[in-house]
Amino acid sequence: MSVREEFDEWAASGRDKGMEERHWHTAKHVLARMPVEAGDTVLDLGTGSGYALRALRQRDVGRAYGLDGAPEMARNARSYTEDDRVGYVVGDFGSLPFATDSVDHVFSMEAFYYSADPLETLAEVRRVLRPGGTFYCAVNYYEENTYSHAWQDSISVEMTRWSREDYRRNFREAGLVVAEQDNVADREIEIPDAAAFPTEEFDTREEMVERYRRLGTLLTVGVAP
């Protein structure tokens, strides 16, 4: 099944809103760190329900674009958004429909690893970013987060699982300066007392603390020279 088919199904079944609810726990902290200024142009790569752009519009962005590979996702996002500064397009991560040096900031939450060719995607992000522009790439599916490894078994789309160092190296090879990289903790997931374990997902409380408080979401920030 293609990315388009997979996520069209998710959108039709309402899973886009479920993703929004789960991702918002850490996405809001990533968005708060982005140096977006009034009038900037922002691209949300793998926009899903468009929740990130609805949050960023509060910061007086000039234009905001949400790109998704699934038409139903883009259609849903458009229906959730009442702001003529925000537009949604259907497109491929490997061939972004934007001019060179035309975007100030790119954001991507839990979508980058669905790219058919992540190195090509990084090259495209570098191309569309203006000098000094930033790429805030946030993922929960990465090598050090062993709790996420089984996700591939539940989805037909091939996912790319990079390590922290892979992200740093590949950002640099694409021409992006790695300005920072860290883990954004999910502090909204409630972690029960030790007596409640084992659970369906975790054998011990320590494992759950590691998953949500220490590993959380891996954020890599690249800057276009």
Side-chain angles (χ1 to χ4, degrees):
M1 185 179 291
S2 68
V3 168
R4 173 175 179 161
E5 292 169 330
E6 181 85 39
F7 289 100
D8 271 348
E9 285 189 3
W10 285 34
S13 65
R15 291 180 67 183
D16 56 339
K17 279 295 190 178
M19 288 192 296
E20 173 181 337
E21 182 178 350
R22 291 191 301 275
H23 297 167
W24 185 243
H25 292 188
T26 53
K28 61 185 174 184
H29 300 295
V30 175
L31 292 168
R33 291 162 62 167
M34 290 179 66
V36 176
E37 299 180 347
D40 281 354
T41 297
V42 180
L43 168 61
D44 181 13
L45 198 60
T47 194
S49 69
Y51 66 90
L53 297 184
R54 292 196 298 276
L56 285 173
R57 69 179 180 170
Q58 306 301 322
R59 294 165 67 174
D60 198 24
V61 296
R63 287 291 299 171
Y65 300 96
L67 182 143
D68 207 282
E72 290 299 324
M73 280 288 187
R75 188 175 295 113
N76 281 4
R78 194 173 295 114
S79 72
Y80 303 146
T81 307
E82 297 180 2
D83 191 329
D84 59 12
R85 295 174 299 171
V86 180
Y88 295 98
V89 296
V90 178
D92 190 295
F93 284 15
S95 181
L96 300 179
F98 298 92
T100 299
D101 297 342
S102 63
V103 175
D104 295 292
H105 306 284
V106 178
F107 170 80
S108 185
M109 178 75 190
E110 285 295 87
F112 179 80
Y113 47 72
Y114 292 122
S115 171
D117 186 338
L119 297 178
E120 184 179 55
T121 298
L122 285 176
E124 276 292 273
V125 168
R126 172 65 185 90
R127 179 185 66 79
V128 303
L129 279 175
R130 294 184 174 121
T134 67
F135 178 31
Y136 276 67
C137 181
V139 297
N140 283 314
Y141 182 72
Y142 61 99
E143 186 61 36
E144 288 81 2
N145 182 9
T146 57
Y147 302 99
S148 71
H149 290 188
W151 294 359
Q152 181 64 83
D153 298 334
S154 62
I155 188 169
S156 62
V157 176
E158 190 67 30
M159 300 158 69
T160 296
R161 193 174 72 221
W162 282 352
S163 67
R164 292 172 60 96
E165 182 53 36
D166 288 335
Y167 274 95
R168 297 177 70 87
R169 182 181 66 256
N170 290 324
F171 268 49
R172 288 170 178 148
E173 290 185 2
L176 295 167
V177 176
V178 178
E180 58 180 304
Q181 185 182 62
D182 63 4
N183 296 78
V184 182
D186 181 339
R187 301 196 177 281
E188 296 190 28
I189 291 290
E190 184 177 348
I191 299 179
D193 292 336
F197 291 84
T199 67
E200 189 173 312
E201 294 184 79
F202 300 96
D203 290 333
T204 66
R205 187 176 191 276
E206 289 72 22
E207 288 180 339
M208 193 171 182
V209 169
E210 179 182 46
R211 164 66 184 92
Y212 292 108
R213 303 297 194 258
R214 187 176 72 80
L215 294 171
T217 296
L218 176 66
L219 171 65
T220 307
V221 180
V223 179

